[in-house]
Structure formats: C-alpha cells, structure tokens
Amino acid sequence: MNTLLDLVALLGRTVFVVTRGAGSIALFALEGVSCFFRPPFYWRVFLQSLTDTGFLSLPVVALTALFSGGVIALQSYTGFAQYHAQSAIANIVVLAVTRELGPVMAGLMVAGRVGAAMAAQIGTMRVTDQIDALTTLRTHPMKYLVAPRLAAGVIALPLLVVVADILGVAGGFTVATVKLGFAPDNYIAATMNALKTEDVMVGLVKATVFGFLITLMGCYYGYTSRGGAEGVGSATTSAVVSASILVLAFDYLLTDLFFAQ
C-alpha cells in the first residue's frame, strides 16, 4: 500500500513540475513576444543575433543538407530497385527534403549550435549579475536580451531552410547522376514536376516555428539559470535537449495539421 501511495505521489509531483515549467515558459514567451510591439527595439542586438543564428550556422546546415539529400537518393534507390521504380527517386528526394529534412535537420543543427550559445551567454550574464545591472540602468532585460533574439530566430531559420532545400536536392541530384547513372536532364525534369509550392511553404512555416522555439528555449534557460558555472552548464544542456525535443514534436504536429487526411 505504501509503495502504491509513493508511486501516486511521484506521479503527482511530476505532473506538477511539468505543468509549472510549461506555464513558466508560456508566460516567458508571451512577455518576449509582447516586447516586439513596445519600443524601443534594439536593432544592433537583433542584427548581431541574426548574423550568429543565420550566417554563422550556414556551413553546418549546408553540409548536413547536402549529405542528407545524397543519402536519401542512395537509400531510395536500394529500396525502389526491387520494384523497378527507380524513376520515383527524384520525387522522393524533393518531397523529403522540402517537407521534412530541410526544416528538421536545420532546426536540430541550429538548436545544437545557437540554442546552446544563447543559453550560455544569457546564463553567464545572469549568474554574474549583469542582467540586474541592466535593470539598474533602466534597460528592460526582456527587451534587450530576449525580443531581438526571438525575432532573429524567426527570420533566420526559414532563410537557412531555403538553402538547405536547394542543397539537399542538389545532393540527391549529384548522387543520382554521378553514382547511380541517371540522366541529368531526366532527373531535373522529374524534380521540377514533383516540386510543389505547397511543400516548400509548409517547410518554411515549420522553420518559422522551429526558429521561435529554439531561441525561446535558449533564452528561457539562460535567463532563469542559477548556481554559478554549474548552473550555466545545466541551462545549456537543458536548452539544447528541450529545443531538439520540441522541434521533433512540433514537426509531427504540423505535419499532421497540413497533410493528414
């Protein structure tokens, strides 16, 4: 009987902690978004965050997309060759890249790189009392630290996904024509026939949501970190893990919303 009560108590505490955490993140997000519409907006911080999130993440996103497109082409050929359906490889590559791999792989790469950096930077400012100093100087910390980064994430990730889509399809084209012996003209024609504006737009919508979630997690865990260097390290880990999980979870939810019949 005591064991059963302990399990019920543990379940209750877990539900309470999860609910409280979700509510805290939701309130943090609402305050960050509300700062978009209340001056001042710190353009210098925004442009720096846009550079860090977008331009400096370009190499890792580009390489990931390029090799992912090539892998899809190889794996598709291995499976479709059994049914003599190799001609569908171009369709599969463009659909997989624009709908899923482009936004998801870009989101995960940015979560690992940018989410961790934001959490570490803001967390260090928190434990060294720099955020309190901003308040003393009559600078709203949410306006200065959070709002520009959220805006940068929402803008930068869709731009990265456009690049990822192009390079992912290019990777599939390179493998298909160089290694698998496809005729370049035929492969390009099949790709253009399979490419749909709807698929690209859905990928960009996903990227916008992912960009917001990644920067939100980085800012939230950095902003609420405590406990010196150990707390900053824990906040960095939590930001990357939570952002990655949210990217995958919202990928499923958005896919179900747009493509479920």
Side-chain angles (χ1 to χ4, degrees), residues 29 32-33 36 41 46 49-50 53-54 110 114 118 146-162 203-216 219:
V33 171
F36 292 158
F41 186 80
F46 166 74
S49 299
L50 188 64
T53 305
V110 172
V114 176
M118 286 186 179
V146 178
R149 287 172 169 82
L150 291 177
V154 168
I155 294 173
L157 201 59
L159 297 177
L160 287 173
V161 167
V162 171
L204 295 179
V205 170
K206 289 183 177 182
T208 303
V209 175
F210 296 165
F212 178 81
L213 293 173
I214 291 166
T215 51
L216 174 64
C219 292

Coordinates of all heavy atoms in Angstrom, one line a residue, residues 29 32-33 36 41 46 49-50 53-54 110 114 118 146-162 203-216 219:
A29 N 7.4 33.4 -22.9 CA 7.2 33.6 -24.4 C 6.3 34.7 -24.6 O 6.5 35.6 -25.5 CB 6.7 32.3 -25.0
G32 N 8.1 37.9 -24.0 CA 9.0 38.2 -25.0 C 8.4 38.7 -26.3 O 8.9 39.6 -26.9
V33 N 7.3 38.1 -26.7 CA 6.6 38.5 -27.9 C 6.0 39.9 -27.7 O 6.0 40.7 -28.7 CB 5.5 37.5 -28.3 CG1 4.6 38.0 -29.4 CG2 6.1 36.1 -28.7
F36 N 8.0 42.9 -28.7 CA 8.1 43.3 -30.1 C 7.4 44.6 -30.4 O 7.8 45.3 -31.3 CB 7.5 42.2 -31.1 CG 8.3 40.9 -31.1 CD1 7.7 39.7 -31.5 CD2 9.7 40.8 -30.7 CE1 8.4 38.5 -31.5 CE2 10.4 39.7 -30.8 CZ 9.8 38.5 -31.2
F41 N 13.2 49.0 -29.7 CA 13.6 47.7 -30.2 C 15.1 47.9 -30.5 O 15.5 48.8 -31.2 CB 12.9 47.3 -31.5 CG 13.2 46.0 -32.0 CD1 12.7 44.8 -31.4 CD2 14.1 45.8 -33.1 CE1 13.0 43.6 -31.9 CE2 14.5 44.5 -33.5 CZ 13.9 43.4 -32.9
F46 N 19.6 42.8 -32.5 CA 18.9 41.9 -33.5 C 19.8 41.5 -34.6 O 19.8 40.4 -35.0 CB 17.7 42.7 -34.0 CG 17.1 42.1 -35.2 CD1 16.3 41.0 -35.1 CD2 17.2 42.7 -36.4 CE1 15.7 40.4 -36.3 CE2 16.7 42.2 -37.6 CZ 15.9 41.0 -37.5
S49 N 22.4 39.0 -33.5 CA 21.8 37.7 -33.4 C 21.4 37.1 -34.7 O 21.5 35.9 -34.9 CB 20.5 37.8 -32.5 OG 20.8 38.3 -31.2
L50 N 21.0 37.9 -35.6 CA 20.6 37.4 -37.0 C 21.9 36.8 -37.6 O 21.8 35.8 -38.3 CB 20.0 38.5 -37.8 CG 19.4 38.1 -39.2 CD1 18.3 37.2 -39.0 CD2 19.0 39.4 -39.9
T53 N 22.8 33.5 -35.7 CA 21.8 32.4 -35.9 C 21.8 32.0 -37.4 O 21.7 30.8 -37.7 CB 20.4 32.9 -35.5 OG1 20.5 33.3 -34.2 CG2 19.4 31.7 -35.7
G54 N 21.9 33.0 -38.3 CA 21.8 32.6 -39.7 C 23.1 32.4 -40.4 O 23.4 31.3 -40.8
V110 N 20.7 24.0 -35.7 CA 20.7 25.4 -35.1 C 20.4 25.2 -33.6 O 21.0 26.0 -32.8 CB 19.6 26.2 -35.7 CG1 19.4 27.5 -35.0 CG2 20.0 26.5 -37.2
V114 N 23.1 27.2 -31.8 CA 22.6 28.6 -31.4 C 21.9 28.5 -30.0 O 22.1 29.3 -29.2 CB 21.7 29.2 -32.4 CG1 21.1 30.5 -32.0 CG2 22.5 29.4 -33.8
M118 N 23.1 30.7 -26.9 CA 22.3 31.7 -26.2 C 22.1 31.4 -24.8 O 22.2 32.4 -23.9 CB 20.9 31.7 -26.9 CG 20.9 32.4 -28.3 SD 19.2 32.5 -28.9 CE 19.5 33.4 -30.5
V146 N 16.0 39.2 -25.0 CA 15.1 38.2 -25.5 C 14.4 38.5 -26.8 O 14.5 37.8 -27.8 CB 14.1 37.8 -24.4 CG1 13.1 36.7 -24.9 CG2 14.8 37.3 -23.1
A147 N 13.7 39.7 -26.8 CA 13.0 40.0 -28.0 C 13.8 40.0 -29.3 O 13.4 39.5 -30.3 CB 12.2 41.3 -27.8
P148 N 15.0 40.7 -29.3 CA 15.8 40.7 -30.6 C 16.2 39.3 -31.0 O 16.2 39.0 -32.2 CB 17.0 41.5 -30.2 CG 16.5 42.4 -29.1 CD 15.6 41.5 -28.3
R149 N 16.5 38.4 -30.0 CA 16.9 37.0 -30.4 C 15.7 36.2 -30.9 O 15.9 35.4 -31.8 CB 17.5 36.4 -29.2 CG 18.9 36.9 -28.8 CD 19.4 36.3 -27.5 NE 20.8 36.6 -27.3 CZ 21.3 37.8 -26.9 NH1 20.4 38.8 -26.6 NH2 22.6 38.0 -26.7
L150 N 14.5 36.4 -30.3 CA 13.3 35.7 -30.9 C 13.1 36.1 -32.3 O 12.8 35.3 -33.2 CB 12.1 36.0 -30.0 CG 12.1 35.4 -28.6 CD1 10.9 35.8 -27.8 CD2 12.2 33.9 -28.6
A151 N 13.1 37.4 -32.6 CA 12.9 37.9 -33.9 C 13.9 37.4 -34.9 O 13.6 37.0 -36.0 CB 12.9 39.5 -33.9
A152 N 15.2 37.3 -34.4 CA 16.3 36.8 -35.3 C 16.0 35.4 -35.6 O 16.2 34.9 -36.8 CB 17.6 37.0 -34.6
G153 N 15.6 34.6 -34.7 CA 15.4 33.1 -34.9 C 14.3 32.9 -35.9 O 14.3 32.0 -36.8
V154 N 13.2 33.7 -35.7 CA 12.0 33.5 -36.6 C 12.4 33.9 -38.1 O 11.8 33.3 -39.0 CB 10.9 34.4 -36.1 CG1 9.8 34.5 -37.2 CG2 10.3 33.9 -34.8
I155 N 13.3 34.8 -38.3 CA 13.7 35.2 -39.6 C 14.8 34.4 -40.2 O 14.8 34.0 -41.4 CB 14.1 36.7 -39.6 CG1 12.9 37.6 -39.3 CG2 14.7 37.1 -41.0 CD1 13.3 39.1 -39.1
A156 N 15.8 34.0 -39.4 CA 17.0 33.3 -39.9 C 16.7 31.9 -40.3 O 17.2 31.4 -41.3 CB 18.1 33.4 -38.8
L157 N 15.9 31.2 -39.5 CA 15.8 29.7 -39.8 C 15.1 29.5 -41.1 O 15.5 28.6 -41.9 CB 15.1 29.0 -38.6 CG 15.3 27.5 -38.6 CD1 16.8 27.2 -38.5 CD2 14.5 26.9 -37.5
P158 N 14.0 30.2 -41.5 CA 13.5 30.0 -42.8 C 14.5 30.3 -43.9 O 14.5 29.6 -45.0 CB 12.3 31.0 -42.9 CG 11.9 31.2 -41.5 CD 13.1 31.1 -40.7
L159 N 15.3 31.3 -43.8 CA 16.4 31.5 -44.8 C 17.3 30.3 -44.9 O 17.7 29.9 -46.0 CB 17.1 32.8 -44.4 CG 16.3 34.1 -44.5 CD1 17.1 35.3 -44.0 CD2 15.6 34.3 -45.8
L160 N 17.7 29.8 -43.7 CA 18.6 28.6 -43.7 C 17.9 27.4 -44.4 O 18.5 26.6 -45.1 CB 19.0 28.3 -42.3 CG 20.0 29.2 -41.6 CD1 20.1 28.8 -40.1 CD2 21.3 29.1 -42.3
V161 N 16.6 27.3 -44.2 CA 15.9 26.2 -44.8 C 15.8 26.3 -46.3 O 15.9 25.3 -47.0 CB 14.5 26.0 -44.1 CG1 13.6 25.1 -44.9 CG2 14.6 25.6 -42.7
V162 N 15.7 27.5 -46.8 CA 15.7 27.7 -48.3 C 17.0 27.1 -48.8 O 17.1 26.4 -49.8 CB 15.5 29.2 -48.6 CG1 15.8 29.4 -50.1 CG2 14.1 29.6 -48.3
G203 N 7.3 23.7 -45.4 CA 8.6 23.7 -44.8 C 9.1 25.0 -44.2 O 9.7 25.0 -43.1
L204 N 8.7 26.1 -44.8 CA 9.1 27.4 -44.3 C 8.2 27.7 -43.0 O 8.8 28.4 -42.1 CB 8.9 28.5 -45.4 CG 9.8 28.4 -46.6 CD1 9.5 29.5 -47.6 CD2 11.3 28.4 -46.1
V205 N 7.0 27.3 -43.0 CA 6.2 27.5 -41.8 C 6.8 26.7 -40.6 O 6.9 27.3 -39.5 CB 4.7 27.1 -42.1 CG1 3.9 27.0 -40.8 CG2 4.0 28.0 -43.1
K206 N 7.2 25.5 -40.9 CA 7.8 24.7 -39.9 C 9.1 25.4 -39.4 O 9.4 25.5 -38.2 CB 8.2 23.3 -40.4 CG 7.0 22.4 -40.6 CD 7.5 21.0 -41.1 CE 6.4 20.1 -41.2 NZ 6.8 18.7 -41.6
A207 N 9.9 25.9 -40.3 CA 11.1 26.6 -39.9 C 10.9 27.8 -39.1 O 11.6 28.1 -38.1 CB 11.9 27.0 -41.2
T208 N 9.8 28.6 -39.4 CA 9.5 29.7 -38.6 C 9.2 29.3 -37.1 O 9.6 29.9 -36.2 CB 8.3 30.5 -39.2 OG1 8.6 30.9 -40.5 CG2 8.0 31.7 -38.4
V209 N 8.4 28.3 -37.0 CA 8.0 27.8 -35.7 C 9.2 27.3 -34.9 O 9.5 27.5 -33.8 CB 6.9 26.7 -35.8 CG1 6.6 26.1 -34.4 CG2 5.6 27.3 -36.4
F210 N 10.1 26.5 -35.6 CA 11.3 25.9 -35.0 C 12.2 27.0 -34.6 O 12.8 27.0 -33.5 CB 12.0 25.0 -36.0 CG 11.2 23.8 -36.4 CD1 11.6 23.0 -37.5 CD2 10.1 23.4 -35.7 CE1 10.9 21.9 -37.9 CE2 9.4 22.3 -36.1 CZ 9.8 21.5 -37.2
G211 N 12.4 28.1 -35.4 CA 13.2 29.2 -35.0 C 12.8 29.9 -33.8 O 13.6 30.2 -32.9
F212 N 11.5 30.0 -33.6 CA 10.9 30.6 -32.4 C 11.2 29.8 -31.2 O 11.6 30.2 -30.1 CB 9.5 30.9 -32.6 CG 8.8 31.5 -31.4 CD1 8.9 32.9 -31.1 CD2 8.1 30.7 -30.5 CE1 8.3 33.4 -30.0 CE2 7.5 31.2 -29.3 CZ 7.6 32.6 -29.1
L213 N 10.9 28.5 -31.4 CA 11.1 27.5 -30.2 C 12.5 27.4 -29.8 O 12.8 27.4 -28.6 CB 10.6 26.1 -30.6 CG 9.0 26.1 -30.8 CD1 8.7 24.7 -31.4 CD2 8.3 26.3 -29.6
I214 N 13.5 27.3 -30.7 CA 14.9 27.2 -30.4 C 15.4 28.4 -29.6 O 16.0 28.3 -28.6 CB 15.7 26.9 -31.7 CG1 15.4 25.6 -32.3 CG2 17.2 27.0 -31.4 CD1 15.9 25.4 -33.7
T215 N 15.1 29.6 -30.2 CA 15.6 30.8 -29.5 C 14.9 31.0 -28.1 O 15.5 31.5 -27.2 CB 15.4 32.0 -30.4 OG1 14.1 32.1 -30.9 CG2 16.4 32.0 -31.5
L216 N 13.6 30.6 -28.1 CA 12.9 30.7 -26.8 C 13.5 29.8 -25.7 O 13.7 30.3 -24.6 CB 11.4 30.3 -27.0 CG 10.5 30.2 -25.8 CD1 10.4 31.6 -25.2 CD2 9.2 29.6 -26.1
C219 N 16.9 31.3 -24.7 CA 16.7 32.5 -23.8 C 16.1 32.1 -22.5 O 16.6 32.7 -21.4 CB 15.8 33.5 -24.5 SG 16.6 34.3 -26.0

